[in-house]
Amino acid sequence: MRLPLVTPSGPPGPWTRPSRFDRNLIVIGGGAAGLVSAYIAAAVKAKVTLVEKGRMGGDCLNYGCVPSKALIRAARAAEDVRQAGAYGIGAGKPKVAFDKVMARVRDVIARIEPHDSVERYEGLGVEVLQGHARLVDPWTVEVTLKDGGTQRLTSRAIVLATGAAPVIPPVRGIDNVHPLTSDSLWDAMDGRRHPPARLVVLGGGPIGCELSQAFQRLGSQVTQVEMEHRLLVREDPEVSAHVETVLTRQGVRVLTGSRAEGFGVEHGEKWIEVADAAGTRRIGFDEIVVATGRAARTEGFGLEELGIAAGKVIETDAYLETLHPSIFVAGDAAGPYQFTHAAAHQAWFAAVNALFGGLKRFRANYRALPAVTFTDPEVARVGMTEAEARDAAIGVDVTRYNLAELDRAIVDGAADGFVKVLTRRGGDRIVGATIVGPHAGELLAEFTLAMKHGIGLNKLLGTVHAYPTLAEANKYAAGAWRRANVNPTLLSLLERFHSWRRG
Ligand SMILES: Cc1cc2nc3c(=O)[nH]c(=O)nc-3n(C[C@H](O)[C@H](O)[C@H](O)COP(=O)(O)OP(=O)(O)OC[C@H]3O[C@@H](n4cnc5c(N)ncnc54)[C@H](O)[C@@H]3O)c2cc1C
């Protein structure tokens, strides 16, 4: 007999909790969040099934981090050819074989693919099903298998790691110009001998800035349109200004404070209508990439039927649990941070809470979560910006060190950027660090470690950094903080001590 379920820890619903389950965990989605959730479950000997409807590895491997970073690497090679004259090497206009650039992008994906493959995960003890998963009730998942047939599975817990998809803003006429997104861009560019001659990039966030610079360097004339008054709005204004200056210097036409009002095609030419403070104008283009944000995939897998609310993300509590105590969410689907490392980080909380929540639960913690924009120079940050510290009413001291002073940066001809550290007023505890510069993403790791483990700037300053490295910038930033925070009484005492020692 099926009884309506009412449990003290769950919402009422017309579902019967099975008396036994054939699995401990079902994970829906084989991107970063799903793979790590499944791996953790298998590592602790739980019986776990991972269901992926598309390509294993999800967005990061197939449409996101990996292809974009491979494209950026090729774009840097082109820029190196352009800038070689500065090092006494014959420079010139790079000859970009765009089809070969895209072939390398494909090759890079293929070389990383085995890390996320069905074979690898089965070898780790995860059962992998390739098909579309749908929630039937809080413990049952129906899988429509790719090679035909359906399978019903029951599990004590489920992790939704279903990711996010690009959002196309509802601007008049946008469908008529067939906008590309990060999902469609790679296939659309594959095999082309030339990059689009005139490319519009809609959006001034990290993805928009990375793609704008890469395509400009590979030979497109890029127009980047952003309705906010600056690029990278989550960063401090000086960071936005720095990136805008660099992009503009490299030829990108950056239009901030500019809203896309409409799209159309006239005499075979596509156009975008852009409105800014000066009025409205039309700009012709050949291709457009929309990078205006990504929202959780929410349709077609049973969320509504189970009453799970979802908008830009699927709603969870601090433990990544939905209103159903058996269903958890991780990664882009849970948000708010749309990074691969955030997805992997959340996966630990979702999997552990799903498997052991009855014994102990862990709140997902994002305090030392790094974020990197892979423009050149890179923008890397951990912790708060100045504006965030101000909003949170946290008094901070701001210390800045310019790469123009750093020997290694001068040697490399890359002395363009800075390290900025926010410390709690009067102490050396790091509240946030931003680095703009070459390899900023790598350099940030030291600050991330420091923040995570409560290591202050004094300890960073007391750590030997090899010469000449870019990492010395972190130590010099700590030194600048130290100099600004020296106790004047102590200094005058020292002066008197040394004067006394001279006799
Ligand atoms: C252009 C671009 C560049 C990026 N660069 C970076 C970067 O440099 N660094 C970084 O950290 N992040 C980057 N990101 C973000 C990163 O790709 C995502 O944060 C990450 O992929 C999120 O992983 P996920 O597992 O949450 O979701 P996804 O990778 O999207 O995986 C979700 C998976 O679930 C599957 N799925 C969905 N519904 C079902 C269903 N019903 N049944 C079965 N399977 C289902 C999907 O097919 C998909 O494979 C970038 C993103 C883009 C678009």
Side-chain angles (χ1 to χ4, degrees):
M1 189 172 74
R2 287 174 75 87
L3 293 173
L5 171 82
V6 183
T7 61
S9 54
W15 306 288
T16 308
R17 186 179 192 271
S19 54
R20 59 185 310 279
F21 305 97
D22 41 51
R23 278 144 183 91
N24 299 96
L25 190 68
I26 296 172
V27 178
I28 305 182
L35 292 173
V36 177
S37 300
Y39 168 74
I40 289 167
V44 297
K45 298 292 172 205
K47 187 168 182 202
V48 53
T49 298
L50 173 81
V51 191
E52 170 55 56
K53 68 174 178 178
R55 293 159 75 173
M56 290 288 281
D59 278 9
C60 180
L61 173 62
N62 300 294
Y63 316 103
C65 332
V66 172
S68 65
K69 267 77 253 178
L71 190 80
I72 286 168
R73 181 62 189 87
R76 182 151 64 85
E79 188 65 12
D80 283 346
V81 173
R82 251 181 227 112
Q83 302 303 333
Y87 303 88
I89 314 287
K93 190 167 179 244
K95 292 194 184 98
V96 176
F98 193 67
D99 50 348
K100 293 193 178 138
V101 170
M102 293 312 297
R104 181 176 179 275
V105 169
R106 230 181 318 122
D107 184 51
V108 167
I109 294 174
R111 288 180 59 183
I112 297 178
E113 238 162 26
H115 303 176
D116 296 349
S117 64
V118 173
E119 296 71 30
R120 172 153 189 251
Y121 276 79
E122 284 183 342
L124 291 167
V126 177
E127 179 193 34
V128 181
L129 296 181
Q130 293 192 283
H132 181 276
R134 187 178 60 82
L135 296 164
V136 175
D137 65 36
W139 309 273
T140 310
V141 171
E142 186 170 274
V143 184
T144 307
L145 295 163
K146 257 188 187 169
D147 47 12
T150 58
Q151 205 175 328
R152 267 195 182 212
L153 322 169
T154 60
S155 177
R156 182 172 272 277
I158 297 166
V159 172
L160 305 176
T162 41
V167 177
I168 304 220
V171 181
R172 171 173 46 90
I174 196 162
D175 290 341
N176 301 333
V177 294
H178 307 293
L180 298 170
T181 65
S182 54
D183 277 359
S184 55
L185 173 68
W186 312 105
D187 280 349
M189 293 295 144
D190 202 24
R192 287 202 195 178
R193 296 200 44 225
H194 304 285
R198 296 169 307 163
L199 178 72
V200 168
V201 173
L202 193 61
I207 295 176
C209 290
E210 289 180 5
L211 291 176
S212 287
Q213 186 178 50
F215 274 99
Q216 181 72 31
R217 286 178 156 185
L218 290 167
S220 297
Q221 171 55 63
V222 175
T223 303
Q224 190 178 8
V225 181
E226 166 57 56
M227 67 180 181
E228 296 284 345
H229 286 276
R230 58 190 180 94
L231 302 174
L232 301 178
V233 281
R234 286 193 204 129
E235 305 301 331
D236 277 328
E238 65 185 308
V239 174
S240 307
H242 196 103
V243 171
E244 181 169 341
T245 304
V246 171
L247 291 182
T248 306
R249 196 169 60 215
Q250 292 173 356
V252 177
R253 201 169 159 204
V254 180
L255 306 180
T256 49
S258 302
R259 177 185 286 275
E261 297 265 282
F263 292 91
V265 185
E266 204 169 287
H267 309 303
E269 187 185 62
K270 297 174 183 174
W271 52 260
I272 175 174
E273 203 166 77
V274 175
D276 61 14
T280 303
R281 67 203 140 128
R282 281 187 182 181
I283 299 165
F285 63 87
D286 302 303
E287 298 278 4
I288 179 166
V289 180
V290 173
T292 48
R294 295 154 45 74
R297 298 186 180 98
T298 56
E299 280 167 18
F301 58 98
L303 287 185
E304 270 179 23
E305 293 82 340
L306 265 66
I308 299 175
K312 200 175 173 214
V313 298
I314 300 175
E315 274 185 24
T316 62
D317 62 13
Y319 302 91
L320 299 175
E321 185 178 304
T322 63
L323 82 168
H324 297 284
S326 58
I327 303 182
F328 294 78
V329 191
D332 282 4
Y337 305 100
Q338 296 179 330
F339 304 117
T340 294
H341 48 277
H345 179 66
Q346 286 181 324
W348 186 89
F349 292 94
V352 169
N353 288 339
L355 292 169
F356 303 108
L359 305 169
K360 182 162 171 59
R361 300 196 311 155
F362 297 86
R363 294 167 80 95
N365 169 346
Y366 307 105
R367 201 176 59 85
L369 188 83
V372 182
T373 301
F374 293 88
T375 43
D376 178 9
E378 291 179 1
V379 173
R381 176 165 61 85
V382 60
M384 292 183 168
T385 60
E386 272 189 79
E388 285 168 350
R390 218 173 20 248
D391 291 348
I394 296 176
V396 292
D397 291 323
V398 180
T399 306
R400 206 185 140 102
Y401 174 78
N402 285 327
L403 296 189
E405 298 168 42
L406 184 70
D407 292 3
R408 180 54 189 264
I410 296 168
V411 168
D412 285 352
D416 183 23
F418 55 88
V419 177
K420 180 169 141 182
V421 190
L422 272 52
T423 38
R424 254 188 206 271
R425 185 151 299 147
D428 76 337
R429 218 179 105 201
I430 304 163
V431 172
T434 299
I435 306 177
V436 177
H439 304 293
E442 312 289 338
L443 303 184
L444 189 75
E446 189 169 24
F447 285 115
T448 307
L449 183 80
M451 278 194 72
K452 170 84 184 158
H453 296 287
I455 297 168
L457 286 185
N458 277 316
K459 286 213 168 111
L460 212 143
L461 182 60
T463 304
V464 181
H465 289 61
Y467 178 87
T469 58
L470 294 172
E472 282 185 299
N474 295 348
K475 182 181 164 113
Y476 291 140
W481 170 84
R482 181 71 271 173
R483 281 192 301 283
N485 285 278
V486 153
N487 180 338
T489 321
L490 177 68
L491 272 190
S492 86
L493 274 173
L494 281 173
E495 198 172 17
R496 280 165 55 197
F497 168 75
H498 287 301
S499 149
W500 169 74
R501 296 257 289 175
R502 289 196 299 272

